[in-house]
Amino acid sequence: MTTTTTSNYFIEIENQYGAHNYHPLPVVLEKGEGVYLWDVEGKKYFDFLSAYSAVNQGHCHPKIIDSLIHQAQKLTLTSRAFYNNRLGEYEKFMSEYFGFDMVLPMNTGAEAVETAIKICRKWAYEKKGIAENNAQIVVADNNFHGRTTTIISFSNDLNAQKNFGPYTGGFIMVAYDNIAALEQLFQTHPNIAGFLVEPIQGEAGVYTPNESYLMQVKDLCNQYQVLFIADEIQTGIARTGSLLAVCGNCNCANQCEQQETYSKPDILILGKALSGGVYPVSAVLADKAIMEVIKPGQHGSTFGGNPLGVSVAMTALEVVYEEKLIQNARKLGHLFRAKMREYIQHSNIVQLVRGKGLLNAIVINDSEHGQTAWNICMKLAENGLLAKPTHGNIIRFAPPLVMTEDQLLECIDIITKTLKEFE
Ligand SMILES: *Cc1c(COP(=O)(O)O)cnc(C)c1O
């Protein structure tokens, strides 16, 4: 095969035999290491998506891969019909790492969100005393929490929702980053059990709320006996320059209890980078009074909490502290936004940069349905950097957190040179 037929071949068989539920950039990857990816022609790229923040620890991190191989040779799956010698250890580790009493292990992000919804509803009936089938969960405008029928029922992305009805009820939408609107809802609806929210809206286009928003959410939830449910599947695990986005400016959830900036949720949802992108691992964390509402037989998953997944996750979380990914994300995030702001001052094509830590986005001066952002991403790929538009005119920039300052400067160079071609 010649070099160009190699890529085309893989693209064509995906097109022919795979459902068309994605619209990928025409790049066929076969290898990853740290911040780099290589395509089947051997071209090297900087990864600026990190599999939607699943690969925070970098591609094929040797320590995480070792952990995977080691456990895979010993025991992979027992189901929860029996105990295994890894799960309890993992639950203890997670509980101490994130500062919650208990963990409920699942596999994908959407499953963990579903789990949180179920816990919240059960809590509403058994603890808060809401009449059965009347519990309401408040969600934010432009949320993204996954793709199940229940989750898309409370999406306002028409593409995600249309013709998948009938929809699941029990959800009320509120404007994101609007504490007055939230309070108004809490005041007027007596049956609200929870508020499910992304601390920074990733898929919507990296919308970072007002600095005091999350703390006000927490206070308001406390005041109205509503569970604050934080979906940190994309923002968690060092991505935004703190262990969790709800940690504010603290480095470590373990010490956050004393920190004034920590808006501790009642239910925390994790996924993606929990396994460093090596294996699907997700989790729901809560304190005992909430988690206890789930009793044997009421919820579960064949693969949830399997020895392979939990071994990988423990190692992936060790890497976060060992390699100081929180501090690195924070430092490089400041540098990235500063450099982009410098560029934007003299730019007609880029309107603004926003984000926190290494979860950032630029807004392109084009309509939401324009092609410019896509064309820029195509050109970025040609120039050796992989990023993808989210919602038409927004490009998300989220490299692995193991990136060095020199590498980031090199990437900023690629980005600004590419943007100049569109001015
Ligand atoms: C990716 C994501 C999900 C869904 O996770 P999956 O593993 O794709 O099911 C849910 N919430 C947020 C905030 C996400 O970014």
Side-chain angles (χ1 to χ4, degrees), residues 102-377:
M102 290 179 152
V103 184
L104 200 159
M106 296 297 281
N107 312 285
T108 65
E111 281 177 325
V113 172
E114 289 275 352
T115 302
I117 290 168
K118 287 173 76 176
I119 295 171
C120 179
R121 285 179 168 183
K122 216 150 188 305
W123 172 89
Y125 304 128
E126 296 174 8
K127 301 270 179 158
K128 187 167 175 175
I130 293 177
E132 204 181 336
N133 290 326
N134 283 299
Q136 300 280 336
I137 294 176
V138 179
V139 296
D141 240 354
N142 299 320
N143 65 74
F144 180 84
H145 296 286
R147 300 294 197 166
T148 65
T149 35
T150 288
I151 294 171
I152 59 100
S153 293
F154 56 82
S155 165
N156 56 342
D157 175 354
L158 266 187
N159 209 21
Q161 195 184 54
K162 195 172 158 48
N163 287 338
F164 292 117
Y167 303 112
T168 308
F171 298 95
I172 308 174
M173 195 164 282
V174 71
Y176 183 68
D177 194 18
N178 185 334
I179 210 72
L182 189 66
E183 175 145 37
Q184 171 98 41
L185 267 187
F186 285 4
Q187 272 170 357
T188 47
H189 292 70
N191 294 328
I192 292 175
F195 177 41
L196 169 63
V197 67
E198 301 155 84
I200 291 171
Q201 289 190 320
E203 292 312 296
V206 190
Y207 285 99
T208 51
N210 205 288
E211 193 145 339
S212 59
Y213 178 63
L214 296 168
M215 195 54 81
Q216 289 176 311
V217 164
K218 180 189 157 66
D219 290 344
L220 213 53
C221 286
N222 273 345
Q223 194 186 328
Y224 287 85
Q225 210 198 347
V226 166
L227 299 184
F228 170 25
I229 308 168
D231 179 349
E232 291 248 20
I233 292 169
Q234 189 162 155
T235 52
I237 330 243
R239 172 53 60 188
T240 65
S242 46
L243 180 60
L244 303 169
V246 290
C247 289
N249 294 318
C250 179
N251 279 337
C252 164
N254 294 321
Q255 289 147 32
C256 277
E257 306 282 357
Q258 291 92 44
Q259 294 267 338
E260 275 167 25
T261 56
Y262 180 35
S263 334
K264 187 179 180 179
D266 298 298
I267 300 180
L268 172 66
I269 309 169
L270 297 173
K272 294 198 167 115
L274 184 51
S275 65
V278 167
Y279 194 88
V281 181
S282 67
V284 176
L285 294 101
D287 283 342
K288 218 169 193 164
I290 295 166
M291 198 64 99
E292 256 172 7
V293 301
I294 300 289
K295 306 244 160 34
Q298 296 176 348
H299 189 60
S301 157
T302 303
F303 280 85
N306 72 78
L308 190 54
V310 302
S311 301
V312 164
M314 276 189 277
T315 309
L317 289 172
E318 279 166 15
V319 166
V320 169
Y321 278 145
E322 282 168 8
E323 303 192 12
K324 298 197 165 34
L325 299 188
I326 294 168
Q327 293 83 343
N328 198 48
R330 187 181 303 189
K331 186 185 83 180
L332 295 193
H334 284 303
L335 178 63
F336 180 78
R337 287 184 299 280
K339 291 282 183 189
M340 289 313 295
R341 274 191 207 108
E342 243 170 65
Y343 178 83
I344 289 167
Q345 283 188 337
H346 311 284
S347 172
N348 294 315
I349 195 78
V350 188
Q351 288 175 338
L352 60 94
V353 62
R354 62 172 172 243
K356 209 166 173 224
L358 281 176
L359 182 60
N360 296 292
I362 57 171
V363 178
I364 302 298
N365 201 356
D366 192 1
S367 83
E368 236 199 86
H369 305 287
Q371 279 297 304
T372 314
W374 176 269
N375 295 337
I376 289 171
C377 288

